[in-house]
């Protein structure tokens, strides 16, 4: 991806100097929408194992991690970093994130204008280890997420390393896809989709709630594809292999693949993000069409 020397967004809040060390373990809450939380406790392996088991059984590990994450206020097993100075490589990725966020601002401002609407830009929070959010404790153990309560996207840059090491899904455009996916959840909020679906989920049983969660995530993948299409039209920033990187990342984090890797089999009723094929296909549809009207993953429900 051609990104050096380009406009960087001013809507980035850097909290890395305020953050604390975390576990560095990603539980598979990959690219959550509408909020998330986590636990950045040092030595909290038992907590992470419990949360992982809950996730494999179809539950929400973020509920456990959110409750235990608050223990950080009590000084239980935490490590506070002061005088933080980001390493050069870290700063480079921070600059990359700012450019990608700027691209999403330009693309979605144009798309909204085409539809007679005004795009309200989200803020992206960079942190290291964990930080607080209205949706719970943001942690590197839960991965990037969008919190609709404050319209902020929370990203620990160490997640990019985890994508490469744990999921073999590295590459700058794969990382850009992650950010674009979270911005997709913000677009859902502005369109009113997020509130509508979450209200329906609150009245549904667990199986139906999971199904609706999958449809939300797939639509965010579609919106990330729309962004990829439009950013190439506007900036000619894509390079050979970029789309393959994004498609590989989308496939690598399918619920079926993650569960099969963890336990040898998958439980479809517990899926909350979609299968590898679904995530791959919806991102590619967004990229191929560039048309937000083609992204109704809900089929009129």
């Amino acid at each position: 991806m051609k990104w050096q020397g380009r406009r960087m967004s001013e809507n980035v809040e850097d909290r890395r100097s305020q953050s604390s060390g975390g576990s560095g373990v990603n539980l598979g809450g990959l690219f959550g929408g509408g909020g998330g939380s986590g636990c950045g406790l040092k030595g909290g392996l038992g907590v992470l194992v419990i949360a992982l088991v809950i996730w494999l059984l179809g539950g929400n590990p973020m509920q456990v991690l959110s409750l235990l994450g608050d223990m950080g206020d009590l000084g239980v097993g935490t490590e506070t970093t002061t005088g933080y100075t980001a390493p050069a490589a870290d700063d480079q990725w921070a600059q990359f994130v700012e450019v990608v966020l700027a691209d999403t601002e330009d693309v979605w401002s144009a798309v909204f204008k085409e539809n007679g609407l005004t795009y309200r830009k989200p803020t992206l929070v960079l942190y290291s280890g964990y930080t607080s959010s209205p949706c719970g404790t943001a942690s590197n153990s839960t991965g990037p997420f969008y919190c609709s309560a404050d319209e902020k996207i929370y990203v620990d840059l160490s997640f990019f390393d985890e994508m490469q090491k744990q999921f073999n899904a590295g590459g700058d455009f794969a990382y850009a896809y992650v950010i674009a996916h979270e911005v997709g959840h913000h677009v859902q909020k502005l369109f009113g989709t997020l509130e509508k679906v979450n209200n329906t989920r609150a009245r549904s049983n667990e199986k139906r709630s999971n199904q609706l969660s999958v449809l939300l995530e797939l639509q965010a993948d579609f919106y990330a594809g729309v962004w990829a299409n439009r950013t190439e039209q506007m900036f000619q920033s894509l390079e050979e292999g970029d789309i393959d990187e994004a498609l590989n990342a989308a496939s690598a984090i399918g619920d079926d693949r993650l569960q099969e890797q963890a336990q040898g089999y998958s439980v479809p009723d517990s899926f909350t993000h979609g299968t590898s094929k679904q995530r791959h296909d919806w991102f590619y549809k967004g990229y191929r069409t560039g048309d937000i009207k083609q992204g109704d993953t809900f089929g009129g429900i």
Side-chain angles (χ1 to χ4, degrees):
M1 179 180 179
K2 303 172 185 176
W3 64 272
Q4 288 89 347
R6 295 177 49 210
R7 183 179 82 83
M8 294 186 289
S9 174
E10 297 179 352
N11 297 303
V12 174
E13 180 183 340
D14 194 341
R15 298 186 190 173
R16 289 176 294 170
S17 63
Q18 307 168 16
S19 303
S20 302
S23 64
V25 177
N26 190 285
L27 295 176
L30 295 173
F31 316 165
S37 56
C39 174
L41 302 183
K42 286 286 187 180
L45 182 59
V47 172
L48 294 175
V49 170
I50 293 172
L52 179 59
V53 170
I54 291 174
W55 172 64
L56 292 176
L57 293 177
N60 182 3
M62 293 182 184
Q63 295 175 347
V64 176
L65 296 173
S66 179
L67 290 173
L68 293 176
D70 292 337
M71 292 173 64
D73 295 334
L74 302 176
V76 180
T78 62
E79 178 182 333
T80 302
T81 303
T82 57
Y84 174 86
T85 301
D90 202 23
D91 279 344
Q92 182 180 33
W93 283 122
Q95 293 168 15
F96 169 78
V97 168
E98 292 173 2
V99 170
V100 173
L101 185 63
D103 277 8
T104 67
E105 293 169 349
D106 293 338
V107 165
W108 287 111
S109 292
V111 171
F112 271 57
K113 185 176 181 179
E114 291 170 8
N115 290 272
L117 303 170
T118 300
Y119 181 63
R120 185 169 65 246
K121 301 173 184 177
T123 296
L124 190 147
V125 176
L126 289 175
Y127 69 95
S128 178
Y130 64 84
T131 190
S132 61
S133 87
C135 296
T137 303
S139 169
N140 58 5
S141 63
T142 58
F145 69 88
Y146 171 72
C147 179
S148 62
D150 60 1
E151 299 189 354
K152 293 183 178 181
I153 297 162
Y154 291 81
V155 178
D156 184 329
L157 294 176
S158 68
F159 181 75
F160 295 161
D161 288 334
E162 298 300 320
M163 285 181 64
Q164 175 63 55
K165 294 175 182 177
Q166 292 192 24
F167 307 109
N168 193 28
D172 55 7
F173 205 75
Y175 308 147
Y177 153 68
V178 173
I179 299 166
H181 174 97
E182 297 306 334
V183 173
H185 286 305
H186 179 64
V187 171
Q188 289 174 324
K189 177 179 180 179
L190 298 183
F191 282 155
T193 308
L194 197 59
E195 181 179 8
K196 179 181 178 181
V197 174
N198 282 337
N199 286 341
T200 302
R201 289 182 65 197
R203 301 190 301 269
S204 304
N205 59 32
E206 183 176 357
K207 179 180 179 180
R208 181 58 174 161
S209 177
N210 288 343
Q211 291 173 340
L212 291 170
S213 175
V214 167
L215 299 178
L216 272 176
E217 297 300 329
L218 294 179
Q219 189 177 66
D221 283 332
F222 172 84
Y223 286 153
V226 170
W227 165 78
N229 174 293
R230 296 297 190 99
T231 198
E232 171 61 9
Q233 290 185 34
M234 295 174 70
F235 307 112
Q236 294 77 51
S237 58
L238 271 62
E239 298 178 300
E240 184 177 356
D242 279 348
I243 294 301
D244 288 338
E245 287 179 2
L247 290 171
N248 177 58
S251 298
I253 56 176
D255 285 323
D256 53 340
R257 180 174 296 187
L258 292 173
Q259 289 189 7
E260 287 165 5
Q261 289 176 344
Q263 62 189 9
Y265 61 92
S266 61
V267 183
D269 285 348
S270 70
F271 291 174
T272 57
H273 290 70
T275 66
S276 292
K277 186 177 188 306
Q278 287 174 321
R279 302 200 71 169
H280 172 286
D281 290 353
W282 277 102
F283 172 85
Y284 188 69
K285 183 178 182 180
Y287 170 68
R288 179 174 50 82
T289 66
D291 180 6
I292 60 170
K293 295 182 176 63
Q294 302 296 316
D296 182 12
T297 58
F298 299 94
I301 64 172

